[in-house]
Each structure stands twice: as C-alpha cells, then as structure tokens.
C-alpha cells in the first residue's frame, strides 16, 4: 500500500497556472504507475494524466493535452501535474493515484486500475 498526499491546489484566474504535487510513502514509489484524476461537482471522476513507472511513458486526456504536463522524480517519491492555461472547466478536486499493476494489465485512464488514492486537492479556476 502507498500513502499519497496532494498539495498545490488553489484559486486561479483563467489562463493562469498551478502545479500540483503528490508525495508518496510506504512502498517502492519507483515501481508504481501514477495518475491524476479529477472530479467536478455533480460529475463522475475522470482521468487527467498518467505516467508509467518505466519507461516513464505519459498519457493525457484530450481535454488537457497540450496544457497539462505530468512528471515524476523517483528519488523524491513525488509526482507533479503542471497545469497551464487553466480554464473554468478545469475546476475540480484533483486526486493522485498509484497503481502497482504490470504494463499488461495497467489501464492508465481507468480508475479501477489504481489501488491507492490521495485525499484530493481543490482547484478552482475563475473566469
């Protein structure tokens, strides 16, 4: 099991940027695929971005592609989500998630592929 703690959320104007951080503890972070999901009020949780444990392949939802960047530093047990050109529709609670699945069974955009979740951090984008 991995414990995940997100930070970096806040209130920003449209067009602004935020950088979310997720610090992991408990197991070997470098062996985990990591993802960011988000949930807006009244909506289901949706995939935003993911990065595999090796070779560090990255994946993005179409809605954030070109604006968000996911990265990780295994030495710091940390994964980041850099969010640029934010839009009001990006407003949501953002969750960090970890998956210990192999490349053969890991579905990066499916919540069921992730075993551990953080508590979430609120991102609010004003127009």
């Amino acid at each position: 099991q991995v414990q995940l703690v997100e930070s970096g959320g806040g209130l920003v104007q449209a067009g602004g940027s935020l950088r979310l951080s997720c610090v992991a503890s408990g197991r070997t972070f470098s062996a985990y695929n990591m993802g960011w999901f988000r949930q807006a009020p009244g909506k289901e949780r949706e995939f935003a971005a993911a990065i595999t444990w090796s070779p560090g392949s990255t994946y993005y939802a179409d809605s954030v592609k070109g604006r968000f960047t996911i990265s990780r530093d295994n030495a710091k047990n940390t994964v980041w989500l850099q969010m640029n050109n934010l839009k009001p529709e990006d407003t949501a609670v953002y969750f960090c998630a970890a998956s210990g699945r192999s490349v053969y069974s890991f579905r990066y955009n499916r919540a069921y592929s992730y075993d551990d979740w953080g508590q979430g951090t609120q991102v609010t984008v004003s127009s």
Side-chain angles (χ1 to χ4, degrees):
Q1 188 175 8
V2 178
Q3 290 77 46
L4 304 171
V5 179
E6 304 99 331
S7 62
L11 173 64
V12 65
Q13 289 187 333
S17 298
L18 283 174
R19 190 191 196 199
L20 305 184
S21 300
C22 173
V23 179
S25 61
R27 298 291 293 270
T28 305
F29 175 75
S30 60
Y32 281 79
N33 306 303
M34 301 298 296
W36 286 96
F37 284 72
R38 64 186 185 181
Q39 188 167 16
K43 295 188 177 181
E44 293 187 354
R45 191 170 298 189
E46 66 174 13
F47 168 74
I51 185 167
T52 61
W53 70 273
S54 180
S57 299
T58 56
Y59 304 92
Y60 299 95
D62 288 343
S63 58
V64 307
K65 198 172 295 182
R67 301 188 296 120
F68 290 11
T69 302
I70 188 171
S71 60
R72 66 189 296 165
D73 186 333
N74 291 335
K76 296 181 178 180
N77 285 2
T78 302
V79 61
W80 295 277
L81 186 67
Q82 177 66 44
M83 305 185 296
N84 298 328
N85 189 23
L86 283 161
K87 303 176 181 181
E89 51 264 41
D90 294 318
T91 295
V93 177
Y94 283 70
F95 298 90
C96 174
S99 170
R101 298 190 179 209
S102 73
V103 64
Y104 304 106
S105 61
F106 178 56
R107 301 293 179 262
Y108 61 84
N109 60 345
R110 298 293 187 225
Y112 66 72
S113 269
Y114 296 83
D115 308 298
D116 301 294
W117 294 80
Q119 82 289 349
T121 184
Q122 176 71 47
V123 171
T124 303
V125 184
S126 63
S127 58

